[in-house]
């Protein structure tokens, strides 16, 4: 609960360009919400324009006071309308409006921008004042009786000298974005790094199209080995972005951004096609190829059109589907696991292999093993990291036995030392992928190794 202090791993520039971009962002959002000229029709609170006007007045006239903008929206408000009907949705909005209206005073303005977006601009002494207000509104809203759950999220921006209220609203809504998907927090205070992250995300989103076109997106492959013989038994395709200015960008940085914007579909398709293409060309050169697995983002694994694309690739490049296993991670955030396994088993019927990625790291469940046909399990690096603890050894030993008994191939991820390798071999896990053997390398280099 409460403020989130997670460090963002990337915090670049706040250039002129960045400032301009943020300004455009705020204009765009304003235009979007600019439907009400005065009071919001339904709730009779101030609409966005008078809120900005009054808010700026308040800030200007009381330069010695501190103000905060609290902005709130309801997580997936659309489903309230869909589930309970528009009339119920409207009633809820009126109720929320009353929760905000309570705080109206000479030093506090309440507003309803549009749909489920509400705001307060309030004078405060202490951050605790703000949190109290949020807590009160939060409790009232979650207590509202409806058949579907209502989850409000609050973003806060504290005023700084010279700050405009519309900018404070932008920052407050960035703070809200920062909460999304975190089950136990419902408010967040704006920090500068959120703006940097947003700008960085926009930058990489803007550049991805050109990056693909200009060949800056590269496919690397990390070999998988049999630890007993050190022979290469396969590989995993891992995407890299070689940025002409920023250098190598790792997927941990850009994949979450692409998942939000949907670009991941293009990137994945590009990677898959490269893999098929290379396998075909090696095949034609008479090289004994090994399977190169590809990652399938959870974004399309739950949709059926990716299956056709996979089949087309296998046909176009005349590469056996067995040569391109699909690494999939089950996600706790998506409940549509049925669609996931339907797509997978459809492809398995067409001879693709299914590899369960990051097994044991939290999402992939044991339960799934008894219901689904899994060809390979990739034991997550967390197990291997902990291998010095006795308890961890018990877990790993038994996991290896269980997976063997189920007749599923097992591979350990992230093996970095001889000790780890020895322990795994002693206990019957022979396959590994890790820096101890090979780091990811450009796909052509992998081809040469073969
Ligand atoms: P993953 O699928 O679990 O991939 C394994 C990651 O572990 C890779 O990081 C690899 O470089 C790293 N790794 C392998 N051995 C070791 C080791 O011994 N020590 C350490 N510390 N790390 C090791 P990478 O390439 O940065 O990829 C991160 C994640 O990004 C991947 O995790 C995968 O979820 C995602 N990803 C990578 N390429 C793609 C892609 O083409 N499409 C999609 N959808 N996701 C991708
Ligand atoms: Ca993987
Ligand atoms: Ca993994």
């Amino acid at each position: 609960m409460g403020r989130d202090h997670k460090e963002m791993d990337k915090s670049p520039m706040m250039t002129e360009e960045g400032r301009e971009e943020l300004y455009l962002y705020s204009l765009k959002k304003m235009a979007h919400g600019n439907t009400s000229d005065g009071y919001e029709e339904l709730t009779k609170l101030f609409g966005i324009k008078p809120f900005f006007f009054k808010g700026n007045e308040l800030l200007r006239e009381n330069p010695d006071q501190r103000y905060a903008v609290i902005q709130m929206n309801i997580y997936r408000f659309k489903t309230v309308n869909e589930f309970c009907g528009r009339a119920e949705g409207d009633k809820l909005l009126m109720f929320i409006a009353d929760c905000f209206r309570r705080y109206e005073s000479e030093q506090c303005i309440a507003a309803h921008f549009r749909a489920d977006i509400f705001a307060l601009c309030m004078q405060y002494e202490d951050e605790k004042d703000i949190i109290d207000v949020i807590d009160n509104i939060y409790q009232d809203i979650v207590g509202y009786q409806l058949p579907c759950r209502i989850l409000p999220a609050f973003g806060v921006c504290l005023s700084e000298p010279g700050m405009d209220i519309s900018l404070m609203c932008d920052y407050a809504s960035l703070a809200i974005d920062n909460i999304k998907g975190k089950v136990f927090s419902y408010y967040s205070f704006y920090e500068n790094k959120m703006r940097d992250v947003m700008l960085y995300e926009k930058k990489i989103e803007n550049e991805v199209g050109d990056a693909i076109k200009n060949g800056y997106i590269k496919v690397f492959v990390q070999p998988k080995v049999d630890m007993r013989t050190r022979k290469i038994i396969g590989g995993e395709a891992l995407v890299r972005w070689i940025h002409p200015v920023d250098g190598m960008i790792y997927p941990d940085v850009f994949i979450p951004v692409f998942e939000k914007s949907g670009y991941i579909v293009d990137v994945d398709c590009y990677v898959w096609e490269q893999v098929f293409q290379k396998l075909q060309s090696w095949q034609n050169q008479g090289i004994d190829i090994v399977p190169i697995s590809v990652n399938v983002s959870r974004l399309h694994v739950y949709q059926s059109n990716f299956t056709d694309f996979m089949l087309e690739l296998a046909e176009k490049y005349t590469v056996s589907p067995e040569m391109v296993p699909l690494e999939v991670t089950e996600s706790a955030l998506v409940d549509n696991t049925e669609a996931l396994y339907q797509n997978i088993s459809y492809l398995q019927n067409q001879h693709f292999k299914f590899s369960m990625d990051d097994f044991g790291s939290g999402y992939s469940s044991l339960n799934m093993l008894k219901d689904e046909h899994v060809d390979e399990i990739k034991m997550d690096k967390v197990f291997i990291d902990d291998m010095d603890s006795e308890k961890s050894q018990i877990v790993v030993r038994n996991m290896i036995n269980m997976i063997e008994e189920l007749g599923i191939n097992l591979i350990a991820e992230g093996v970095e030392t001889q000790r780890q390798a020895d322990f795994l071999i002693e206990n019957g896990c022979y396959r590994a992928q890790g820096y101890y053997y090979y780091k990811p390398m450009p796909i052509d280099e992998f081809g040469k190794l073969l």
Side-chain angles (χ1 to χ4, degrees), residues 18-145:
R19 224 165 258 131
E20 199 172 310
E21 211 174 313
L22 196 68
Y23 181 65
L24 289 177
Y25 173 79
S26 101
L27 277 185
K28 214 171 68 200
K29 286 187 63 170
M30 228 164 94
H32 200 57
N34 211 354
T35 45
S36 44
D37 280 333
Y39 293 95
E40 214 287 334
E41 229 173 49
L42 177 73
T43 57
K44 306 289 181 246
L45 285 175
F46 281 135
I48 193 163
K49 267 190 185 168
F51 179 76
F52 283 179
F53 184 77
K54 299 259 172 204
N56 277 332
E57 225 173 39
L58 198 61
L59 263 58
R60 231 186 1 253
E61 284 167 8
N62 303 283
D64 305 331
Q65 302 282 5
R66 290 196 285 180
Y67 290 91
V69 164
I70 305 175
Q71 200 166 307
M72 183 217 77
N73 63 30
I74 304 288
Y75 184 63
R76 291 208 204 136
F77 177 69
K78 244 175 51 198
T79 57
V80 175
N81 276 335
E82 280 161 11
F83 254 134
C84 313
R86 184 94 203 192
E88 280 302 324
D90 282 356
K91 264 200 228 162
L92 171 64
L93 292 178
M94 310 261 264
F95 175 80
I96 296 173
D98 287 336
C99 296
F100 277 76
R101 203 185 324 270
R102 278 204 308 259
Y103 292 96
E104 276 182 335
S105 73
E106 292 229 313
Q107 289 295 325
C108 181
I109 310 166
H112 179 198
F113 292 173
R114 68 191 146 90
D116 58 327
I117 306 178
F118 290 82
L120 281 183
C121 173
M122 63 174 271
Q123 185 269 331
Y124 74 99
E125 300 293 332
D126 192 306
E127 283 186 18
K128 175 140 191 329
D129 303 343
I130 302 167
I131 296 171
D132 284 346
V133 169
I134 291 176
D135 276 340
N136 282 332
I137 298 179
Y138 177 83
Q139 293 303 342
D140 286 343
I141 294 176
V142 296
Y144 187 85
Q145 291 299 317

Side-chain angles (χ1 to χ4, degrees), residues 15 47 89 165 170 175 178 180 196 227 287 353 356 362 378:
T15 55
I165 190 132
D170 282 346
N178 194 52
K180 282 197 184 127
D196 296 343
M227 290 184 278
I287 296 172
K353 300 279 180 213
M356 175 50 73
K378 300 191 80 178

Side-chain angles (χ1 to χ4, degrees), residues 236-238 293-295 327-329 357-358 378 413 433:
E236 174 182 8
L238 295 161
S293 58
V294 294
N295 289 286
E327 295 195 8
V328 173
T329 312
D357 204 352
D358 303 338
K378 300 191 80 178
E413 278 192 293
Q433 179 183 343

Side-chain angles (χ1 to χ4, degrees), residues 355-384:
S355 172
M356 175 50 73
D357 204 352
D358 303 338
F359 186 81
S361 71
Y363 292 153
S364 313
S365 61
L366 277 178
N367 200 34
M368 162 230 97
L369 288 184
K370 68 177 181 27
D371 299 331
E372 307 300 333
H373 179 74
V374 182
D375 299 296
E376 179 187 72
I377 283 179
K378 300 191 80 178
M379 180 161 55
D380 197 76
K381 185 172 182 305
V382 288
F383 291 105
I384 287 105

